[in-house]
Structure formats: C-alpha cells, structure tokens
Amino acid sequence: MFGFMPTCKEITQTVSESMDRKISLRRRTGMWIHLLMCRYCFRFRKQMLMLRRISRLEDEIHADGGSSPPALSSEARARMKLALQRRVAEPD
C-alpha cells in the first residue's frame, strides 16, 4: 500500500483502520514514522482517539441507565426553526 513515504491521505486511512482492526507491522511502522514528522496527522490521530473515548463514555452512561442527553425546549426549537426559515428566505 505504501510507497517510500506514505501520504497524509494514506495515514488518515491507516489511523482509522488501526482503530478497528490490527494492521501489519509494516503499515504500523510507516504510520508512526509519518506521525512523528507530520503534526497534522498526529493531531488527527489524537482527535480520533478522543472521539473514541467520548463515544465509549457516552455508551457507558446510557448502558448504566443514565439519563438521555438534554433536549431543547420547545421555545428554543421554535427560535431555531424561525432563524433557519429566515436564512433560507434571504438571498446571499
């Protein structure tokens, strides 16, 4: 899959894949070398890990019988609906 140096696009795909299943040593090594040199891909991986942790925490809360996330009040929904209707009606 990788040539000499994997591209950022390849690395983001590999980072995502590595969170779902085990990847080969060659791909893992290429990914880490790239991550050490590319702060953007490193940041992407960090953000993906954070999203995974948040998602798991959310699942744990709801699995333990925790309350559902707070809903918007009917007044807030009406204000948002009106703002969206005005936005659509006004040409840019």
Side-chain angles (χ1 to χ4, degrees):
M1 174 174 189
F2 296 145
F4 176 69
M5 177 55 114
T7 65
C8 290
K9 183 176 181 177
E10 290 172 325
I11 293 303
T12 56
Q13 291 170 345
T14 302
V15 164
S16 181
E17 185 180 336
S18 72
M19 293 185 176
D20 296 330
R21 63 181 127 325
K22 189 171 178 108
I23 59 174
S24 71
L25 178 61
R26 180 173 184 250
R27 287 183 70 198
R28 197 168 49 244
T29 304
M31 177 183 77
W32 279 107
I33 291 170
H34 185 99
L35 290 173
L36 290 171
M37 294 187 300
C38 180
R39 68 179 178 180
Y40 303 110
C41 290
F42 184 84
R43 189 179 304 152
F44 172 80
R45 181 179 178 276
K46 187 175 176 182
Q47 291 170 346
M48 292 293 289
L49 290 171
M50 184 185 339
L51 287 172
R52 184 169 70 172
R53 279 193 303 270
I54 291 168
S55 177
R56 287 181 177 170
L57 285 173
E58 187 73 20
D59 288 345
E60 287 177 21
I61 290 170
H62 292 296
D64 293 339
S67 63
S68 59
L72 289 173
S73 67
S74 58
E75 295 84 16
R77 283 194 297 263
R79 284 193 309 268
M80 291 175 71
K81 185 176 180 180
L82 182 61
L84 286 170
Q85 287 171 344
R86 288 180 181 160
R87 175 78 175 152
V88 170
E90 294 174 2
D92 286 336

